[in-house]
DNA sequence: TCTGGGGTCCTAGGACCC
DNA sequence: TCTGGGGTCCTAGGACCC
């Protein structure tokens, strides 16, 4: 074997559920649903995750808790606890960083690992073992020549396995799959591709880039074909990510109709975002307000600020000004405030 | 299954300017 | 006069992901 660059995608299995089971060992083997404040009677709250035992009853992440309760009345419902998941994630990433590899954190429960080695399966197994020894968490590892291949491979490796997807087996493994099997093509684009006669990965790979550009834009169109060929980003970036922006939003259990109450909520969200921005040491250059009307119509309005700021009063005033451009003539189920940060090189 | 919250990036169209 | 063409900025929305 010869040494070459490999990308490994480390994906923790059932991350949130696994963390909760570690904290509540008595729940092992039981149907558990995690989400919201853990109250299945609360409307407009969905499951963040469900254990295999709950899935057997037809419960899955994204499902309203009330539906989950109906399907699995004996399930234990737990509140979502982001700080606990953040802490568990940190412990896992620290394990990965102890190896002589490059680590790019990709959310709570995922990381890309880059290494120049001759036996990626051996590295994958060593990573799994170390993660399990030090955190009691299980992970799957995908091996590829780029992030796209490695990411898809880790899904094939679940649970707790190792899978290699490269140019050598790409066509054999992927060609007959639907286009939304690719990382970056979802249901909508897949449907539009199908309308053009492009149903499978192989068909998309053979499509004319110029025609794709005509339908999906100069960047996206050719990019989809690129994905179908099994290509993708191959650089593991170890420097910390610099957030482009930040947001806070709330779905209300019951619709809001009172304008003053709506304004109070927007001001509160803006204050929260301002506090977050200050804590992150970032300046804000744009403020957006999101309103989701009942039943589910979402609209956004935004405004660029005259100058970057961290001032909570300025942000609240800007958010309220943007809110004033909405027709609040229908019941409101969600309000959100988002900001764009100035980037360091600007 | 009456549909969370937090992100990123791309596109299209209008305003404005030269 | 009745109308070009390019470039940039800004906004709204769409799509994807975890």
């Amino acid at each position: 074997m010869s040494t070459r660059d490999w990308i490994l995608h480390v994906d923790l299995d059932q991350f949130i559920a696994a963390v909760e089971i570690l904290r509540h060992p008595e729940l092992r083997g039981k149907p558990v649903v995690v989400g919201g404040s853990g109250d299945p009677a609360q409307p407009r709250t969905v499951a963040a995750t469900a254990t295999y035992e709950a899935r057997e009853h037809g419960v899955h992440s994204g499902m309203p808790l009330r539906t989950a309760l109906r399907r699995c009345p004996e399930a234990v419902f737990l509140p979502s606890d982001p700080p606990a998941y953040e802490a568990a994630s940190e412990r896992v990433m620290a394990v990965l960083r102890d190896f002589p590899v490059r680590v790019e954190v990709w959310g709570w429960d995922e990381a890309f690992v880059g290494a120049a080695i001759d036996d990626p399966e051996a590295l994958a197994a060593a990573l799994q073992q170390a993660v399990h020894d030090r955190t009691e968490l299980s992970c799957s590892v995908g091996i590829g020549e780029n992030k796209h291949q490695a990411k898809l491979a880790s899904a094939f490796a679940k649970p707790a396995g190792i899978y290699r997807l490269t140019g050598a087996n790409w066509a054999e493994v992927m060609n007959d799959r639907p286009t939304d099997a690719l990382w970056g093509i979802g249901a909508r684009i897949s449907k539009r591709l199908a309308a053009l006669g492009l149903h499978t990965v192989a068909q998309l790979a053979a499509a004319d880039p110029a025609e794709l550009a005509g339908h999906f834009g100069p960047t996206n169109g050719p990019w989809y074909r690129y994905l179908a060929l099994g290509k993708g980003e191959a650089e593991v970036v170890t420097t910390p990510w610099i957030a482009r922006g930040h947001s806070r939003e709330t779905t209300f259990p019951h619709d809001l109709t009172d304008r003053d109450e709506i304004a109070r909520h927007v001001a509160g969200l803006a204050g929260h975002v301002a506090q977050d921005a200050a804590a992150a040491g970032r300046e804000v250059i744009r403020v957006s307000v999101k309103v989701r009307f009942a039943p589910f119509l979402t609209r956004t309005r935004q405004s660029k600020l005259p100058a970057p700021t961290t001032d909570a009063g300025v942000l609240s005033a800007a958010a309220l000004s943007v809110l004033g451009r909405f027709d609040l003539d229908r019941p409101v189920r969600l309000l959100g405030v988002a900001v764009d940060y100035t980037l360091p090189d600007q």
Side-chain angles (χ1 to χ4, degrees):
Chain A
M1 285 199 227
S2 61
T3 296
R4 48 175 294 196
D5 280 316
W6 290 99
I7 309 264
L8 279 63
H9 181 251
V10 177
D11 198 328
L12 289 152
D13 298 327
Q14 289 275 290
F15 175 62
I16 292 174
V19 171
E20 292 294 351
I21 296 296
L22 287 179
R23 303 163 89 194
H24 309 279
E26 72 279 8
L27 297 180
R28 189 175 298 278
K30 297 202 168 131
V32 177
V33 180
V34 183
S37 57
D39 175 9
Q42 182 82 340
R44 298 178 179 174
T45 305
V46 301
T49 190
T51 58
Y52 288 118
E53 293 77 13
R55 284 167 194 239
E56 281 171 16
H57 290 78
V59 177
H60 55 78
S61 65
M63 172 179 284
L65 291 186
R66 298 210 288 191
T67 308
L69 178 63
R70 219 179 305 131
R71 293 198 174 189
C72 188
E74 68 271 35
V76 175
F77 289 82
L78 296 176
S80 178
D81 186 354
Y85 313 141
E86 184 64 47
S89 177
E90 267 308 311
R91 292 198 298 276
V92 171
M93 301 308 166
V95 174
L96 302 182
R97 289 196 188 97
D98 274 352
F99 283 78
V101 298
R102 302 184 302 282
V103 176
E104 180 172 352
V105 177
W106 202 271
W108 279 344
D109 58 347
E110 292 179 46
F112 288 103
V113 169
I117 46 174
D118 63 6
D119 187 350
E121 275 80 6
L123 174 60
L127 293 173
Q128 286 177 320
Q129 189 65 50
V131 167
H132 192 264
D133 287 348
R134 287 171 54 185
T135 69
E136 297 182 72
L137 294 168
S138 147
C139 62
S140 301
V141 181
I143 297 165
E145 295 156 332
N146 57 52
K147 290 178 179 173
H148 182 210
Q149 292 173 345
K151 167 81 182 173
L152 297 187
S154 70
F156 297 141
K158 284 193 171 298
I162 297 169
Y163 191 90
R164 186 197 286 215
L165 181 61
T166 67
N169 62 343
W170 176 266
E172 175 199 336
V173 173
M174 297 301 298
N175 265 2
D176 294 335
R177 294 178 187 267
T179 55
D180 61 3
L182 301 169
W183 187 38
I185 296 185
R188 302 296 180 95
I189 297 299
S190 185
K191 203 170 173 185
R192 286 173 62 190
L193 289 167
L196 299 172
L198 305 174
H199 302 272
T200 66
V201 170
Q203 287 170 335
L204 179 56
D208 174 18
E211 195 183 330
L212 291 169
H215 282 99
F216 299 98
T219 302
N220 289 339
W223 174 251
Y224 298 151
R225 176 172 167 274
Y226 194 72
L227 291 178
L229 289 165
K231 300 184 180 180
E233 179 64 53
E235 195 191 347
V236 175
V237 179
T238 57
T239 50
W241 176 254
I242 296 167
R244 270 45 171 179
H246 180 63
S247 67
R248 295 258 181 181
E249 63 183 56
T250 306
T251 293
F252 305 100
H254 301 288
D255 296 336
L256 265 45
T257 52
D258 182 77
R259 277 162 195 268
D260 291 340
E261 196 181 356
I262 291 169
R264 276 198 303 277
H265 277 289
V266 167
L269 288 163
H272 221 141
V273 167
Q275 220 177 319
D276 297 336
R282 302 290 297 274
E283 284 187 320
V284 169
I285 191 60
R286 182 186 311 281
V287 178
S288 306
V289 174
K290 175 163 148 185
V291 179
R292 178 168 290 150
F293 298 99
F296 208 74
L297 175 75
T298 307
R299 287 289 177 264
T300 61
R301 296 282 182 275
Q302 58 183 249
S303 181
K304 188 177 193 288
L305 299 174
T309 186
T310 56
D311 188 292
V314 172
L315 290 184
S316 282
L320 288 172
S321 166
V322 171
L323 177 69
R325 287 162 35 205
F326 283 90
D327 275 335
L328 296 173
D329 52 353
R330 310 170 52 170
V332 168
R333 65 174 283 150
L334 171 148
L335 291 170
V337 172
V339 295
D340 288 349
Y341 291 143
T342 51
L343 293 176
D345 59 352
Q346 285 183 340

